[in-house]
Each structure stands twice: as C-alpha cells, then as structure tokens.
Amino acid sequence: MSTSDSLSPAEKYAAARTRAKYSQVEAFRSGLRFDLDPFQRTACVSLEEGNSVLVAAPTGAGKTIVAEFAVHLAMQQPAAKVFYTAPMKALSNQKFQEFVAEYGAENVGLLTGDTNVNSGARIVVMTTEVLRNMLYADSDLLTNLAFVIMDEVHYLADRFRGAVWEEVIIHLPQSVRLVSLSATVSNAEEFGDWLQAVRGDTDVIVSEERPVPLEQHVLVKTKMLDLFDSSGLAATNRVNPELVRLASSGGRSIGSRSSAGRRGNDRGSYHQRAQQDSGKMPRADIVEMLAGKHLLPAIFFIFSRVGCDQAVKQVLRAGVRLTDAAERDEIRQIVDERCRTLLDEDLAVLGYWEWLDGLERGVAAHHAGLLPAFKEVVEELFQKKLVKAVFATETLALGINMPARTVVLEKLEKFNGEARVPITAGEYTQITGRAGRRGIDVEGHSVIQWQQGLDPQSVASLASRRTYPLNSSFKPTYNMAVNLIDQFGRERTRQILESSFAQFQADRAVVDMARKVRAQEESLAGYAESMTCHLGNFTEYAAIRRSLTDLERAGSAGDTGSRAQREKRQRELASLRKRMRSHPCNSCPEKEQHARWAERWWKLKRQTDALNKQISSRTGAVARVFDRVTDVLLGFGYLVSDEHGRVSLSESGRILRRIYGERDLLVAESLRRGLWSSLDAPSLAAMACALVFEPRRDEGMTDERWLPKGAFRPAFDATTDLWSRLDDLERDNKLPGSNPLSVGLSLAMWKWAKGASLGDVLYEADMAAGDFVRWTKQTIDLLDQLSVVADGHVGRTARTAMDAIRRGIVAYSSVA
C-alpha cells in the first residue's frame, strides 16, 4: 500500500495544500528516489520559509537530504552560495564527489587545508577549520553566502576541535542561514535554544525513528539469540528471558561445552584458540554463518587497529572466500585504477599484495593506520557490495557513508588511552546506525558477541537509550583572542564569548542578556545617527543639557546645603548655561527633535549599562578564561593597551592572528625570537613535526640522542626552554598549559625531507603508513602557515620543506 493510500481525507487535503504552498519542497521531492520522511519534510518546509534548522536524527536516517535541499534552494538563486562543512577530510571528499555528480564540476569546490579545488564555486565543501579561518580573515569568498551546512555538528563536544564549531556559529553573518545536522542527542532542544539565541529563527526537528528497523541479537557460542523478547512483548523492550537465564547460569546453559582441544578445530591461531577457550565462535565461522543467513555485508567493530588487522589475517587463513570470479575481476580493475600512481618500490612496504588478496576474497580492515588511498578503496568496494566483511575501529561509525546489513560488536568496552571503559550509549547508537541500508534492507541487524560477565539488562539499556548529551568544549585560545580583539575590541569580545554554548549551558540567562545588549547596542547606534547634527557633536550638547537639568532638579528639591555649596551649584549652573548657549548645536533649528532622540539614547544607554553590570556580576567562566589569555598576551606584547585602557594588536599580534593550532603562541614567539633562523628545510620540517606530533600514550618519549643532527638540536633545546617558560606563565595565570614537545617522529620526518625511502622512514618511525601520512599532512599545514607569516629565510625554508615532504604516498593521498 502506498503512503498516500494510508492517509485520511483530511491528511490528503493538508498534503495538497502543503504542496501548493511549498513549491520548492515539491520540486525537490519529485526528483528523489524515496519520498520525504516526515522529519525531512518538516525541515525542508522550515528552510523554504526562511528559517535555520537543527535536525537531530539517528545515523542513517537521511539527515543529509535536508542539506541537499538547502543546496537546491541556493541554486535557484542567481548568485547564492552554500558552504558544506564536515568534521573529517574523508567525509568532505565524499560529499565533494556527490555534489560534482549532481551539479557539475564547474559549480563545486573543495577546501580542506591541503586541497584547494575551485574555491570560488557556488557550492564549496570544506572542513570546519577552513571556514573558521575564512571568517577571521573576512575572506571575499564569503560574498553571497546564503547557507552553511554543518554536518555532524555534535562534534562541538570534541575536546580538541569542538570550539571551532562554536566559533563559526557565533561569527557567521546573521544573513546566513544555518543547517545543523546532528546525531540524536538528549539535549537537542537546549542546543536549539542556544542557536535561536545567537542565530535568530531556528527550528529544531528531532526524529527518533530509524528508516530501517534494527533487529538486535546476542551471539552465544554458535546460537544467535534476540536481545529483546520476541513473544509479543518486544515493544516494551523486555529482555529475552533466555538471555537472562544464561546470565544467571554463567553461560553454561546454551550449546555444548567448550570446543577447545577438539581435533580439527585448531586453525593455527593463538587468538582463535583463545576464542574457543572462552566458548566464543571464531571470526571466520561468524563470517560464514552471517553469509549463510544472508546477513552480509557486515562491519565487525573491533576497538583496536592491531585487532582489525589480525582479524583479517585469521579469516583469510581460515580459507574464507566471499566473492566470485566476476567480482574478483571488478575488484582488481578498481584497485589498479585507484592505486596506479603508487610507486612500485612502495607496494611491498605498504603490504599491498596481502591487502589486495583480502579484497579479492571480500575481506578488509578499515582504521586510521591504513593508507588513506587504501581506505578510500575499501569504502568504494564496500559500497559496491564487492567487499562483504570489514573489520573496523569506531572511526568508521563517524559520518562516512558505509552502511551494512549487519554490524558485529565483539566487546562493549574499549581502551580510552588510560583504561578499558564501557562504550557510551552515543557510541553504541553511532555504531549500530551503520546497520540497515535504506532501499536495500528490510531491517538491519546488530550482533553482540557473548562473553562472561555480560549483563543483558545493561546491554538492553544501552540499546534502548538512543541519546546522549551534547556538552560544549569551547575555550578561548590565543589565536581566537587576537582575531576577535582585532575585529571587535576587548569588551565586545567578552560579550561575544558570553554568547558561546559553553556559557549558555553554564548560565542560560547570560546569553539572553548578552543578546539583548547586542540588540540594544544596535538601537543605540540608530538613535545616535538620528540625533546627528550637521552643526556639531550633539552627544556632547545633549550631555550638557542633561547635566544642567539634573543640577536644576537637585536645586529645586529644597534649599539644602551650606551657603558655600549653594554658591558652588549656582556657579556650575551658570557655567553649564554658558557652555550650552555657546555650543554650535544650540542654534540648530532641529535641536529639539535631535534632543528627543538623545533622550531615548540616554535612557537605553542606562538600561544597557545595567545589563552589562548584571552580566559582569554573573559567573562568566568563559570570559574569565579570555581575560587570563588576554593578560598573557599583554605580558608578551602581542596586545598593547593605550592610556584609556583600550587594547589593540601589536605587529607580533598580527602574526599570531594567522597561526592556527594547539601551539599558536609558542610558534609565534619562536618566530619573534628567531629560534629557527638557522634551520635548513629538513630540520624545519622536523621542528614543525615536533610541534604537531602527539605520541600515543603507550609510545612514551623518544630518547633525544636519536635526533636530527646539526642545527636542529640547539634550536629544539631553545624551543623547549621557551615552551617551559610559557607553560609556567600559563599555569601562573590559571590556564591549563600544554604537553611538552614530542620528537618521536622528528628524525623520520627529517629523513623523509632528505629523500629517504618509504620503507626506511616507516621503519624509523615504527608507524603505520596511514598515521605517517596524517602527521605529515599536519606538518605541511604548519609549514604552510610559516611560509606565509615568517619573514625572509624562515618563510622561504618553510616553502622548501613543504615541497620536500609532499611526495610519494603523502602527495597521492587526497584525504587524511
């Protein structure tokens, strides 16, 4: 039965009226393969009405349809532009390709920091950091900007990068409409209220419905049980009684005893034996079971890169083959095309042949250590249903378009760098959101592998709670401070920071007051314009009249005070009357009209000052951090204060404006002190690498004896000494400070810049190719900034260093 057949006559009439009123929604809908879901239609209607929207819906629900409608609206206008921002370069690259296919290469651009394609296009896909930098630079590319789409906007909770999302939301021109797309969060209304406060008309559209229902299972030995009761009580999310009995019996009630030690079951793998010893089904057997149940393609989420790679090897050793001859031919053709530019001598180092063997058999890994080019191929083959089983870390759950029929979770905990912790409801929702392909699957499936100690009630609670709170991670940085102060001054910047979501969550009333102050300041500016007099400064004249009126009122209240005080008041009155008569504006024929506007200005000014006083008296945590940041910048001379206390940027401050990153002040101060003036290109690349590289917690510090030779060592010592002093100063100012520089990758980067082979460099770095590419891209990003802001020798050396390390697999990788 079609959707229209199921509607009542009243609903059909309402739908007809909607189609007539919202012609753009109807035109857009007619070109889709699917009809719009209710939440999609509601969001699109809101956009056609001229509002901004926040759309919070489960992974895979089709939020991007709303973004595509915003692009459609912009393209109906002659010059309107739309920016699509994404948190990851991989996602940016994917959206770029989709928009090129839809609107043509001439209309679509891509900006990801290290990629600049057609930046003046009407549709530009970019990372959020690029847009933030454009706003601070007041880029010409912002002209005619009609929409900004912020995909995965819940990333603003990310403690490392989240502040960038808030900076963009706060600083976008008010004329730009915002399309915010979020995973289902429990405080969507609160976030929407903040967007309403800082952006104006914003509709919040929340959907809890998955477009493809999710069937949830627990795999106990060789038996797949439903997580929830399927006897007609499933709607109540009642846990399957069989699972409850299993938990209470310690896992002994289902299946035969452990198969460990049986002849013929040893596949030559310690990990498989361990799985058998615990009664768990080997991975290869799970793959074959899912294939037999027609539940492939599947993504196995393993919260470890090494675990993903080991899983692929185990499955291949077991002889699993999920493809036929025609599929293998197509796989080889795609791989040859995508990887043709890789150097032959690099293929063995990258494990190319083993990787290709897995792909041809329909099996692959997907994690951050994988070469970006390889990740792209895995994604493409999975989307084409040529790769049937992918073993992935949770990074795959974040936004990339790789839906599966089934997701498998081997464990419900992961290592967070310090300890093993349970995955959150939000992470569970993101991961299981990959299950179920719209238009292909009737239902998606999640499979949790049973292990001792698993509590079915806890799992059910995790599976039932589809939401998690969105909390701000916003904090002022040195670069943010100088950019905002340069544009708005110190006091206005404090008000802007009071508008952050962080402050909103800390004290919602402050944001409301700050918004009211901004509105009243706009009114004050209008009043000031209306009382402008061509003969002189009417604000000054109005102040004299007000002082005269106040003094006259004070005198008429009664003959109080001593004779000396009365005489003093008379002298002041005479002086004020004389000043008023001699003021140029006193002879203006329109002075009374100007005076009425002046009176309104004074009245509103009093109210605004009172509001500002209330704001300053409240707990302004964000503004206090900004004040501490400002104090550090004043102490180092990046900001200067005049005799009236007004703060502005020094020349050094203007350099800091264009340095983005965790170590912005350290980089600016090192340049100012000339600490890197003696470095050649390989040594500067090694230094930039030390500034951006963050070792994994288990890697520890590299012995400094293994450092690049020559000028690098004294320059590094000087930079480290400067970092130490900055860190002490920050902590003295109650700022968090930063981690020491890490040289764990510096020698490898130095060798790479000097032309060493990929094999030698990866051996030196003891690092996966994908990780090396990612850190090299970040090194290039910092060198690019240095090439712009550094004078003379250092700037030229930075450009040379960029060219030296942007080669081989680094130059090839389109995403990082």
Side-chain angles (χ1 to χ4, degrees):
M1 185 170 66
S2 70
T3 304
S4 59
D5 291 338
S6 64
L7 296 178
S8 68
E11 289 171 328
K12 289 179 181 178
Y13 175 71
R17 290 198 61 179
T18 299
R19 285 195 295 272
K21 184 176 180 181
Y22 300 107
S23 58
Q24 289 299 334
V25 172
E26 187 60 25
F28 176 71
R29 187 199 66 78
S30 65
L32 298 175
R33 290 188 298 122
F34 308 105
D35 199 2
L36 293 172
D37 288 340
F39 86 90
Q40 294 168 332
R41 177 177 288 278
T42 301
C44 291
V45 163
S46 180
L47 286 174
E48 187 165 355
E49 287 178 337
N51 301 319
S52 294
V53 294
L54 165 63
V55 181
T59 302
K63 295 184 291 289
T64 53
I65 286 288
V66 182
E68 288 164 14
F69 179 66
V71 175
H72 168 83
L73 282 179
M75 297 303 283
Q76 305 311 303
Q77 302 172 40
K81 293 165 69 173
V82 57
F83 289 171
Y84 191 112
T85 74
M88 295 174 293
K89 293 179 182 179
L91 188 54
S92 296
N93 200 56
Q94 195 173 72
K95 295 308 299 183
F96 170 72
Q97 301 293 349
E98 290 173 11
F99 284 134
V100 166
E102 177 72 19
Y103 292 101
E106 70 279 4
N107 286 316
V108 186
L110 177 66
L111 291 171
T112 60
D114 51 30
T115 303
N116 185 332
V117 178
N118 198 17
S119 61
R122 292 187 58 192
I123 307 165
V124 186
V125 181
M126 62 186 67
T127 51
T128 317
E129 283 84 354
V130 169
L131 178 54
R132 186 270 312 272
N133 299 352
M134 288 169 62
L135 288 167
Y136 281 162
D138 195 22
S139 169
D140 291 340
L141 296 176
L142 297 167
T143 305
N144 295 324
L145 182 60
F147 293 95
V148 165
I149 297 153
M150 303 197 79
D151 203 353
E152 309 281 341
V153 75
H154 51 273
Y155 249 82
L156 68 75
D158 183 86
R159 66 190 182 98
F160 296 111
R161 300 172 57 207
V164 176
W165 273 256
E166 289 192 49
E167 289 178 76
V168 168
I169 291 168
I170 292 169
H171 299 309
L172 272 175
Q174 287 295 318
S175 60
V176 177
R177 281 187 278 162
L178 198 61
V179 180
S180 304
L181 308 179
S182 172
T184 310
V185 293
S186 53
N187 59 336
E189 286 75 15
E190 179 189 39
F191 184 49
D193 287 346
W194 174 69
L195 289 172
Q196 176 78 29
V198 295
R199 301 294 315 164
D201 294 334
T202 302
D203 284 337
V204 179
I205 297 99
V206 178
S207 173
E208 297 280 356
E209 295 298 316
R210 284 176 52 99
V212 180
L214 179 67
E215 296 290 328
Q216 306 192 70
H217 316 278
V218 177
L219 179 62
V220 185
K221 297 184 179 176
T222 61
K223 189 172 183 180
M224 205 159 77
L225 301 175
D226 290 340
L227 173 60
F228 295 110
D229 187 357
S230 56
S231 63
L233 299 173
T236 64
N237 283 342
R238 178 187 171 203
V239 176
N240 186 341
E242 194 172 357
L243 274 177
V244 176
R245 288 195 298 272
L246 171 69
S248 62
S249 66
R252 294 185 299 275
S253 64
I254 291 184
S256 61
R257 60 187 176 83
S258 170
S259 60
R262 289 182 184 170
R263 297 183 64 179
N265 280 345
D266 187 349
R267 301 181 188 272
S269 164
Y270 165 79
H271 294 278
Q272 285 181 322
R273 286 199 302 275
Q275 284 182 315
Q276 291 172 343
D277 290 340
S278 65
K280 293 175 73 173
M281 196 174 182
R283 286 162 174 155
D285 292 354
I286 297 175
V287 171
E288 290 177 334
M289 179 194 72
L290 293 177
K293 292 177 178 290
H294 305 290
L295 293 179
L296 296 179
I299 301 172
F300 292 70
F301 283 98
I302 301 173
F303 302 117
S304 153
R305 300 178 186 184
V306 173
C308 292
D309 293 333
Q310 287 176 343
V312 171
K313 290 175 183 175
Q314 289 165 20
V315 171
L316 295 182
R317 268 200 303 268
V320 170
R321 185 180 297 279
L322 305 172
T323 55
D324 58 31
E327 289 173 326
R328 289 192 290 277
D329 288 342
E330 189 176 353
I331 289 167
R332 274 193 296 273
Q333 183 180 346
I334 290 172
V335 173
D336 287 344
E337 172 65 24
R338 300 292 179 268
C339 298
R340 68 184 187 281
T341 58
L342 292 176
L343 301 176
D344 290 343
E345 61 264 29
D346 290 345
L347 296 182
V349 175
L350 295 170
Y352 174 83
W353 304 110
E354 296 87 346
W355 173 69
L356 178 57
D357 178 47
L359 293 179
E360 290 185 356
R361 290 161 65 176
V363 181
H366 189 290
H367 55 71
L370 205 62
L371 186 70
F374 286 7
K375 277 199 295 187
E376 291 173 20
V377 170
V378 171
E379 291 160 15
E380 180 177 354
L381 294 179
F382 193 80
Q383 288 164 14
K384 291 179 182 292
K385 293 179 271 190
L386 295 170
V387 164
K388 317 293 176 74
V390 169
F391 295 87
T393 56
E394 71 270 30
T395 54
L396 182 60
L398 299 174
I400 300 172
N401 181 25
M402 275 184 68
R405 178 163 292 174
T406 305
V407 298
V408 179
L409 289 93
E410 293 192 354
K411 294 181 180 177
L412 292 177
E413 62 178 20
K414 66 176 186 176
F415 187 68
N416 67 357
E418 296 177 348
R420 300 208 69 84
V421 296
I423 64 171
T424 65
E427 289 167 333
Y428 185 88
T429 301
Q430 287 275 56
I431 288 167
T432 56
R434 292 281 147 228
R437 299 162 301 174
R438 188 169 187 172
I440 301 173
D441 299 321
V442 176
E443 60 202 13
H445 296 265
S446 71
V447 179
I448 299 165
Q449 202 162 6
W450 173 269
Q451 56 186 337
Q452 290 294 332
L454 194 70
D455 177 12
Q457 296 289 356
S458 298
V459 177
S461 173
L462 193 68
S464 302
R465 284 178 54 227
R466 300 223 165 186
T467 58
Y468 56 101
L470 179 61
N471 293 314
S472 172
S473 61
F474 185 85
K475 58 184 184 297
T477 65
Y478 298 113
N479 172 273
M480 184 195 302
V482 293
N483 270 290
L484 293 181
I485 288 171
D486 190 47
Q487 288 189 51
F488 305 110
R490 184 174 185 173
E491 288 310 308
R492 180 86 169 90
T493 295
R494 286 184 101 260
Q495 293 174 10
I496 288 170
L497 296 179
E498 296 283 5
S499 298
S500 68
F501 188 45
Q503 186 61 46
F504 185 84
Q505 290 190 304
D507 184 352
R508 291 183 61 161
V510 167
V511 172
D512 293 334
M513 286 190 290
R515 189 178 183 208
K516 191 172 181 181
V517 165
R518 287 200 302 277
Q520 291 184 179
E521 284 178 341
E522 291 175 7
S523 298
L524 285 170
Y527 293 169
E529 186 176 344
S530 297
M531 70 179 182
T532 301
C533 178
H534 67 287
L535 296 176
N537 185 338
F538 202 87
T539 304
E540 183 182 80
Y541 177 69
I544 297 170
R545 281 179 54 142
R546 174 163 287 280
S547 298
L548 184 59
T549 301
D550 290 345
L551 203 58
E552 286 173 340
R553 283 175 181 165
S556 64
D559 193 13
T560 58
S562 65
R563 179 178 177 182
Q565 288 173 324
R566 292 198 299 273
E567 288 177 352
K568 180 183 177 184
R569 186 164 60 245
Q570 289 302 319
R571 286 196 300 272
E572 288 175 355
L573 283 169
S575 175
L576 285 170
R577 289 177 182 128
K578 182 178 179 182
R579 285 177 60 197
M580 185 182 72
R581 287 194 296 271
S582 63
H583 196 283
C585 293
N586 194 56
S587 57
C588 177
E590 298 177 346
K591 69 180 179 184
E592 293 308 318
Q593 183 180 346
H594 294 329
R596 284 193 293 273
W597 284 110
E599 190 61 32
R600 292 173 188 168
W601 187 90
W602 279 106
K603 187 176 180 180
L604 190 59
K605 181 74 165 61
R606 274 202 310 270
Q607 294 174 6
T608 305
D609 289 345
L611 275 174
N612 278 320
K613 191 173 181 181
Q614 286 183 56
I615 289 172
S616 63
S617 68
R618 288 179 180 263
T619 305
V622 176
R624 279 206 308 275
V625 174
F626 166 72
D627 287 339
R628 293 166 190 162
V629 166
T630 304
D631 289 342
V632 171
L633 292 172
L634 283 165
F636 272 91
Y638 288 88
L639 296 173
V640 292
S641 180
D642 63 17
E643 65 273 14
H644 302 294
R646 286 190 294 265
V647 173
S648 59
L649 272 61
S650 66
E651 276 307 307
S652 298
R654 301 202 172 279
I655 291 174
L656 180 56
R657 271 196 68 191
R658 295 179 290 171
I659 298 173
Y660 300 94
E662 290 288 312
R663 302 191 187 275
D664 45 10
L665 183 59
L666 178 61
V667 171
E669 191 64 9
S670 296
L671 289 176
R672 189 165 73 162
R673 297 178 184 223
L675 301 187
W676 305 334
S677 299
S678 61
L679 298 180
D680 61 8
S683 297
L684 188 57
M687 182 65 71
C689 181
L691 288 159
V692 301
F693 179 60
E694 296 172 9
R696 294 165 70 91
R697 289 180 182 270
D698 55 354
E699 288 173 353
M701 292 296 293
T702 301
D703 191 327
E704 291 188 11
R705 290 175 297 176
W706 304 101
L707 291 181
K709 296 180 174 59
F712 178 86
R713 296 191 183 197
F716 177 75
D717 289 342
T719 306
T720 301
D721 182 58
L722 175 60
W723 165 82
S724 180
R725 279 180 280 150
L726 279 176
D727 192 61
D728 289 343
L729 181 64
E730 286 173 330
R731 294 182 194 280
D732 288 345
N733 281 275
K734 298 180 181 176
L735 292 169
S738 59
N739 292 324
L741 278 67
S742 176
V743 291
L745 190 55
S746 290
L747 183 58
M749 192 63 65
W750 182 75
K751 290 184 175 181
W752 182 247
K754 290 177 77 70
S757 70
L758 178 65
D760 287 346
V761 168
L762 293 183
Y763 177 80
E764 174 65 50
D766 189 22
M767 182 177 287
D771 291 325
F772 178 71
V773 169
R774 188 171 72 256
W775 290 119
T776 306
K777 292 280 184 133
Q778 292 195 32
T779 302
I780 288 170
D781 185 50
L782 177 53
L783 289 170
D784 189 27
Q785 293 179 45
L786 295 179
S787 73
V788 174
V789 302
D791 292 331
H793 170 73
V794 175
R796 290 191 299 271
T797 305
R799 284 187 285 276
T800 304
M802 284 169 58
D803 293 338
I805 64 175
R806 193 193 276 125
R807 65 181 180 88
I809 61 170
V810 177
Y812 170 82
S813 302
S814 60
V815 295

